[in-house]
Amino acid sequence: MAAAPAVRLGGPDDIGATASLRWRWRVEEGSERPAVSLEAFTSALGEWLADHAETHRTFVAEVEGEVVGIGWLAVVHRIPGPEVWDRRAGLVQALYVVPEARDQEIGRAHV
């Protein structure tokens, strides 16, 4: 029986894995034609995520220590209310799990 999947907040050490999975999804499995190499994309994605750390939280799914899924939570400010001025909402973005790790209940795992 395979190990239970785990989901955790991603960090700078996960840039290579998150870039690889996003590339696989969008280029290898999808139809996007990259304007840059995977190395250049990885570097640019790392910079983008660092610049947007306040608004985009990276999450990774792991099975037996290998990153097999990615997703982001975009945190947006909401219109203030009379009682609560600082209101925020989250938008789930760019969820992806490699095909070979699907149907392992990764969607049920939580942080």
Side-chain angles (χ1 to χ4, degrees):
M1 179 181 225
V7 175
R8 62 174 174 77
L9 271 171
D13 292 343
D14 297 304
I15 296 300
T18 56
S20 281
L21 291 188
R22 188 131 173 90
W23 183 277
R24 178 177 173 178
W25 173 25
R26 306 296 297 240
V27 175
E28 295 172 14
E29 295 175 19
S31 60
E32 288 189 25
R33 292 188 205 137
V36 297
S37 68
L38 174 57
E39 282 184 352
F41 174 70
T42 300
S43 177
L45 181 62
E47 290 175 21
W48 190 93
L49 291 171
D51 290 346
H52 294 84
E54 289 295 314
T55 60
H56 287 74
R57 308 291 198 279
T58 303
F59 289 84
V60 296
E62 293 180 316
V63 173
E64 296 180 355
E66 180 183 353
V67 175
V68 297
I70 53 173
W72 283 268
L73 178 67
V75 179
V76 296
H77 290 275
R78 296 183 61 200
I79 298 169
E83 182 179 348
V84 180
W85 190 259
D86 186 13
R87 300 174 68 225
R88 297 175 194 209
L91 302 170
V92 176
Q93 298 182 333
L95 295 177
Y96 172 76
V97 174
V98 296
E100 57 271 19
R102 293 177 188 163
D103 298 322
Q104 294 184 28
E105 298 194 6
I106 289 172
R108 290 179 172 258
H110 60 286
V111 180

